[in-house]
Amino acid sequence: MVVVMQEGATEEEVQYVINRLMGMGFDIHRSTGARHTVLGAVGAKVDFDTRDIELLGGVEEVLRITAPYKLASRHFRPEGTIVTLGRGIAIGGEELVVMAGPCSVESAEQIDTIAASVAASGARILRGGAFKPRTSPYSFQGIGQQGLQLLRQAGDKHNLSVVSEVMDHTQIPQMIDYVDMLQVGARNMQNYNLLKELGKVAKPVLLKRGISATIEELLLSAEYIMAGGNYNVVLCERGIRTFDSYLRNTLDIAAIPVIKKLSHLPIVVDPSHGTGLRDKVAPMARAAVAAGADGLLIEVHNDPEKALSDGAQSLFPEQFEKLMKELRVIAPAVSRRL
Ligand code: PEP
Ligand code: MN
């Protein structure tokens, strides 16, 4: 349930409502917006009568939310959420935020070369996996902890924030000092132990949609993180498995406006995993921006043909540079800037 307080409701009125709801057994998550205070009440009883709250002083509206997620719902923060990462980076605002880099961190030289080129093209966040969730146990598994150090160094050198994937909750302590944002991969979207632990972390989380996950399941996974107290969640559409087998995945562009309506959380798009083929990445990136995405996650490699993972879907630096130029033309048409 979401309680929207009237504009100008007094602190006493807000506290009175909070106390009443807590007395009824609800957990309260308060959001103070520019004009309205909004209270998210979690743990609703089935026989609860919303009128008991509606008639309290200072209450504007009580919304019983039929969706099973509450904190991730648009009702909770109608104005939308902006997730900040330092270096002036804000995801969900007017600026489109592009995260780019290799699938995997491979060596100091590789990550430094790629960081230099994506930074020069206008990316704000450097991506790179150190712990890799590979479909086959015989595929390259990432270089681990050393990869995080190299990612951090390259990010700092080229004024980029960094994001890397956490595969298991036991990896959080060894990652937390190296990354600005923790990525939950598609395969781990429903790793509930991991999501619960990320709820306690003071860093933003990039939550990727599971390979066969519905939008509601994605939002429920975000809810797990938020219920633990971490509201800095950025969603990522990265393609889902459908009956079509031509591409690696089917990128669900329509998920962008759907999620924008259902949730206040920012949503970015990963056209690299979404298509699996380099020549399909730019068209889908352009479409994602036109459809209202808050940013992009794109694989770029200085020598994709020799990449240790996902070379076929990684852009050459020149292709990334060209794409960024195109996006700068599209962005203003949808009231964004890059
Ligand atoms: C990745 O971004 O490197 C990755 C493994 O993506 P996904 O979890 O979407 O497959
Ligand atoms: Mn990859």
Side-chain angles (χ1 to χ4, degrees):
M1 179 179 58
V2 170
V3 180
V4 183
M5 300 300 294
Q6 287 164 1
E7 208 170 339
T10 65
E11 186 55 30
E12 287 72 33
E13 287 171 330
V14 174
Q15 281 307 329
Y16 190 81
V17 175
I18 291 176
N19 291 340
R20 273 294 288 270
L21 290 167
M22 285 173 65
M24 292 167 170
F26 288 101
D27 271 349
I28 307 302
H29 295 258
R30 178 176 179 165
S31 169
T32 309
R35 287 196 293 177
H36 293 274
T37 291
V38 178
L39 305 173
V42 183
K45 293 181 286 178
V46 186
D47 62 351
F48 177 74
D49 189 342
T50 51
R51 290 174 302 177
D52 291 342
I53 298 299
E54 262 165 35
L55 49 73
L56 298 180
V59 174
E60 168 133 342
E61 214 181 346
V62 180
L63 302 160
R64 195 185 259 285
I65 303 191
T66 46
Y69 46 85
K70 300 188 186 330
L71 305 175
S73 162
R74 173 63 75 171
H75 295 297
F76 183 57
R77 261 190 200 164
E79 71 277 17
T81 284
I82 295 180
V83 173
T84 55
L85 271 97
R87 295 178 206 269
I89 299 169
I91 308 176
E94 199 190 328
E95 189 191 347
L96 286 170
V97 177
V98 177
M99 315 177 205
C103 179
S104 305
V105 180
E106 298 170 9
S107 67
E109 198 196 343
Q110 174 244 21
I111 193 68
D112 182 68
T113 308
I114 297 170
S117 75
V118 299
S121 298
R124 303 294 310 275
I125 300 175
L126 180 64
R127 65 147 289 150
F131 303 103
K132 294 303 300 178
R134 305 305 301 281
T135 303
S136 163
Y138 307 117
S139 300
F140 172 64
Q141 301 287 308
I143 62 172
Q145 189 70 21
Q146 192 205 353
L148 296 173
Q149 291 162 8
L150 298 177
L151 185 72
R152 178 82 264 165
Q153 277 166 21
D156 287 345
K157 183 168 162 196
H158 300 286
N159 194 28
L160 298 162
S161 288
V162 302
V163 59
S164 197
E165 178 165 349
V166 55
M167 285 171 59
D168 185 85
H169 67 93
T170 58
Q171 291 170 343
I172 296 174
Q174 63 188 118
M175 294 190 70
I176 201 75
D177 293 334
Y178 291 102
V179 298
D180 301 299
M181 177 153 69
L182 290 147
Q183 175 176 328
V184 177
R187 292 156 191 82
N188 272 309
M189 189 202 84
Q190 288 178 315
N191 179 341
Y192 299 120
N193 281 335
L194 174 61
L195 301 178
K196 281 184 193 165
E197 288 303 315
L198 290 171
K200 301 177 196 159
V201 160
K203 291 242 163 118
V205 175
L206 179 65
L207 178 65
K208 297 187 100 179
R209 182 178 182 182
I211 290 165
S212 310
T214 63
I215 289 171
E216 184 166 294
E217 287 164 342
L218 171 63
L219 294 175
L220 278 167
S221 290
E223 187 84 8
Y224 260 94
I225 301 169
M226 299 178 78
N230 185 355
Y231 291 1
N232 291 313
V233 179
V234 176
L235 305 170
C236 179
E237 163 59 38
R238 49 76 73 206
I240 48 173
R241 186 162 288 176
T242 67
F243 51 80
D244 196 87
S245 57
Y246 186 82
L247 294 174
R248 185 176 182 187
N249 290 294
T250 299
L251 189 64
D252 186 4
I253 295 279
I256 304 162
V258 171
I259 286 172
K260 281 276 163 212
K261 183 163 182 194
L262 295 176
S263 179
H264 56 87
L265 295 172
I267 169 142
V268 302
V269 169
D270 171 356
S272 307
H273 294 87
T275 62
L277 285 176
R278 186 181 302 135
D279 63 335
K280 309 296 183 293
V281 170
M284 288 297 96
R286 297 191 299 255
V289 168
D294 295 300
L296 294 164
L297 178 69
I298 298 181
E299 288 185 341
V300 179
H301 199 288
N302 56 325
D303 191 358
E305 277 142 26
K306 296 209 183 77
L308 297 181
S309 60
D310 284 347
Q313 67 191 34
S314 300
L315 297 184
F316 286 90
E318 314 77 67
Q319 292 177 311
F320 180 67
E321 167 72 16
K322 179 168 179 279
L323 171 61
M324 292 294 276
K325 284 192 179 132
E326 292 166 350
L327 296 177
R328 281 191 196 98
V329 177
I330 298 170
V334 287
S335 310
R336 306 301 280 259
R337 85 192 135 72
L338 180 64

